[in-house]
Amino acid sequence: MLLLSIPSTLLPFIVVEVHGQKVLRLTSANNSSGFSIYKNQEYRFEISYPSNWQKIEFTEGIERNERKIVANFLSLPEGSSDKFRDYVIVEVSDFQPTHQLSNYVNHQIDNYIKLLDGFRLIESPSSLPDISGNRSDSKQGGVSPNSKIVFTYDDPLAGTIKIMELYFQNKDKVYILSLHSEIRSYDNYLTIIQRMVDSFRIT
């Protein structure tokens, strides 16, 4: 099952391996203001995220659609009745440099059409590094996305979910940074996702 819906009751955790089995281990939430920096040594990237969001890390071997799920950043609940925690997730996929990224992205779309109820493509694959329309000058050696899609699907509990997926190609890897939000609050996160994208580095 795709890890596209994260319930609001989910506690921050990391997945660790104990005696050959994967288990969940709780971590403390960071309630400080501003942004924190997350660095991943295995996949050699770093990204800033809101410090009061909950960070979830995944160990090797957890995948969906041949994409390795690396880190998830959960927003704060919007209330006790919140049925969907808006979040930003980072995934990494192997990629043949001789292949076309557009073919890879279209393959992802084909999978979503089959797997997601009510799938609707809003923005087709495109090369649009500017997300919000107000390009930040804070890249300082970072990387910009090579392709972008936006789509919605129907969640049985939370209603319509809107997703923006950004694809960063780097040699034999594709890094996928995606925002998952209830459609009613999607626009509220565009400034945050722009800052996260501007901070994204592949080291």
Side-chain angles (χ1 to χ4, degrees):
M1 183 64 185
L2 291 177
L3 295 179
L4 290 173
S5 297
I6 305 294
S8 60
T9 55
L10 184 63
L11 294 173
F13 65 91
I14 58 174
V15 183
V16 297
E17 190 161 330
V18 179
H19 302 301
Q21 294 192 3
K22 292 181 175 65
V23 298
L24 305 184
R25 178 170 295 170
L26 293 177
T27 61
S28 58
N30 187 342
N31 293 319
S32 61
S33 60
F35 276 66
S36 298
I37 298 176
Y38 170 76
K39 295 183 179 181
N40 187 284
Q41 299 298 328
E42 182 176 2
Y43 294 106
R44 302 182 55 156
F45 73 87
E46 65 178 59
I47 189 170
S48 296
Y49 67 96
S51 298
N52 59 355
W53 285 23
Q54 295 176 355
K55 179 187 67 178
I56 301 171
E57 293 183 283
F58 298 86
T59 58
E60 180 69 26
I62 300 179
E63 299 185 9
R64 62 163 186 162
N65 293 340
E66 300 179 349
R67 290 155 48 159
K68 300 175 180 68
I69 303 172
V70 180
N72 195 1
F73 306 98
L74 283 162
S75 67
L76 295 176
E78 298 178 8
S80 58
S81 61
D82 192 3
K83 296 180 180 179
F84 187 92
R85 294 283 293 278
D86 305 300
Y87 63 95
V88 173
I89 194 166
V90 181
E91 301 165 278
V92 180
S93 178
D94 293 329
F95 184 77
Q96 295 293 332
T98 57
H99 292 175
Q100 294 291 324
L101 180 63
S102 59
N103 292 336
Y104 176 88
V105 176
N106 284 325
H107 177 67
Q108 302 301 308
I109 293 173
D110 289 341
N111 284 335
Y112 289 143
I113 291 172
K114 298 173 185 175
L115 296 172
L116 297 179
D117 291 336
F119 174 85
R120 294 173 293 278
L121 186 63
I122 297 174
E123 291 188 33
S124 300
S126 58
S127 299
L128 297 173
D130 183 359
I131 297 167
S132 65
N134 297 308
R135 183 69 184 147
S136 170
D137 296 325
S138 62
K139 292 300 289 183
Q140 297 179 347
V143 293
S144 295
N146 303 106
S147 190
K148 164 190 170 185
I149 62 173
V150 179
F151 60 92
T152 60
Y153 75 96
D154 297 327
D155 183 278
L157 296 177
T160 302
I161 303 301
K162 189 172 182 178
I163 297 175
M164 175 198 297
E165 284 198 341
L166 302 167
Y167 297 83
F168 302 77
Q169 181 183 348
N170 184 264
K171 299 179 181 177
D172 61 347
K173 302 289 183 187
V174 173
Y175 296 77
I176 303 104
L177 177 66
S178 55
L179 166 66
H180 301 245
S181 175
E182 291 180 274
I183 193 167
R184 62 180 177 82
S185 55
Y186 175 87
D187 289 346
N188 298 335
Y189 290 96
L190 292 182
T191 300
I192 292 176
I193 190 69
Q194 182 70 66
R195 180 164 175 178
M196 294 178 74
V197 169
D198 286 346
S199 73
F200 187 66
R201 308 281 187 274
I202 300 173
T203 58

